[in-house]
Amino acid sequence: EQFNYMLHLKRALDAKGGHALLEMPTGTGKTVCLISLISSYQFAHPETGKLIYCTRTVPEMIKCMAEIDKVIKYRVSCVGAEGGQILALSLSSRRNLCIHPKVVDEGDREAADTKCRSMTASWVRNQAAASANTNSGHIELCSFFEQYESTGSDAEIPRGVYNLEDLKDFGASKGWCPYFLARHLVNHANILVYNYQYMLDPKVRTYEPKSSSSSSSSSSSNVKRKKKRRRRIAWSKSPSRLYTQLE
């Protein structure tokens, strides 16, 4: 059954844009089959795009990253260090990646997002710079974000498999924000693992360009209502573009 699963995956990849809808019972090794076949295909064909693996929960994400780590370590044992030249990342919210004490102490995601933005938003940083020049008071900024912006935004992370804790540990060792570092590294990763809601979030749907011709207010509102009813999901070919829009 695993062989047939991987065979159909291979055929879909060879089709250069083909689609595959596969099903296997629980506990039969779907994850390891998929990771083994597709990461091996990436190794044999470097021009192959990213593998994006979506999960429902953070524990499922952690389990998937552990499977990826096992597969890559086994490949290294078979073909040498060259087989480990891969970058696999797990992506999540600020609450799961932030290492700033004041954000970590927040109880829920929305509160963590708000606290983070209060120290990293561009307008806050502009206010802080203006206050420093006029000595009109202190505005707290995130030291991890500031350090990342000054030295880490163009940096590269060593190749490897990074779960959420690995990213946090690496960020802490460098003094960089793991959340913004992960967003930067999306462009360089071979494998991305994140919650399926990131892929399906309405924030990344395609918007039709506004017409330059004039129209009445009634017809304009009708168009807006129709667009609202016809809300569509955009499956972006660029994971970096997709993830950047998920604020």
Side-chain angles (χ1 to χ4, degrees):
E1 190 168 8
Q2 289 181 338
F3 176 80
N4 287 332
Y5 184 86
M6 297 172 79
L7 180 63
H8 287 297
L9 281 174
K10 174 69 163 50
R11 288 173 177 170
L13 292 171
D14 287 339
K16 305 297 181 184
H19 300 277
L21 180 61
L22 307 175
E23 182 179 7
M24 286 175 66
T26 301
T28 51
K30 295 185 294 294
T31 301
V32 70
C33 285
L34 185 147
I35 293 168
S36 298
L37 188 282
I38 297 183
S39 64
S40 297
Y41 197 93
Q42 290 175 318
F43 180 69
H45 304 279
E47 73 280 2
T48 304
K50 291 175 172 56
L51 164 59
I52 300 177
Y53 189 101
C54 297
T55 67
R56 186 176 62 86
T57 64
V58 171
E60 288 176 358
M61 183 188 305
I62 294 172
K63 183 179 178 181
C64 178
M65 296 305 295
E67 295 282 5
I68 295 172
D69 191 46
K70 290 179 183 178
V71 169
I72 300 306
K73 286 180 178 178
Y74 178 75
R75 182 188 301 159
V76 170
S77 70
C78 293
V79 303
E82 185 183 2
Q85 294 302 304
I86 190 170
L87 181 58
L89 299 175
S90 50
L91 308 177
S92 191
S93 63
R94 290 173 170 85
R95 183 166 177 257
N96 293 326
L97 278 174
C98 184
I99 56 177
H100 193 287
K102 290 189 177 180
V103 178
V104 172
D105 288 341
E106 295 295 341
D108 58 73
R109 176 175 174 174
E110 288 187 6
D113 288 350
T114 300
K115 188 62 179 178
C116 173
R117 292 192 181 99
S118 72
M119 296 185 289
T120 60
S122 58
W123 65 270
V124 175
R125 299 175 72 210
N126 291 338
Q127 277 190 347
S131 298
N133 292 333
T134 59
N135 296 319
S136 58
H138 174 69
I139 296 178
E140 183 179 11
L141 299 178
C142 175
S143 60
F144 297 106
F145 179 75
E146 295 301 316
Q147 184 72 6
Y148 162 76
E149 281 285 286
S150 62
T151 62
S153 58
D154 295 323
E156 291 188 9
I157 193 171
R159 311 299 280 181
V161 180
Y162 294 85
N163 60 30
L164 299 179
E165 291 303 318
D166 293 331
L167 284 170
K168 290 165 73 173
D169 290 342
F170 182 82
S173 69
K174 296 288 187 179
W176 300 341
C177 171
Y179 174 76
F180 287 97
L181 175 64
R183 290 177 54 163
H184 163 68
L185 293 173
V186 164
N187 287 324
H188 307 283
N190 307 100
I191 301 175
L192 297 173
V193 180
Y194 53 66
N195 190 288
Y196 72 90
Q197 291 179 345
Y198 285 171
M199 182 68 80
L200 302 176
D201 197 301
K203 292 179 182 177
V204 297
R205 67 185 183 273
T206 300
Y207 288 94
E208 297 178 12
K210 295 181 179 179
S211 173
S212 59
S213 59
S214 61
S215 59
S216 66
S217 59
S218 60
S219 62
S220 176
S221 60
N222 287 336
V223 170
K224 288 181 180 178
R225 284 196 295 270
K226 288 179 181 178
K227 285 183 180 179
K228 206 167 186 178
R229 289 196 297 266
R230 296 201 312 264
R231 188 176 285 181
R232 298 175 181 175
I233 300 298
W235 296 87
S236 172
K237 293 183 178 179
S238 171
S240 60
R241 175 176 174 270
L242 182 150
Y243 191 66
T244 299
Q245 295 181 51
L246 294 175
E247 280 293 326

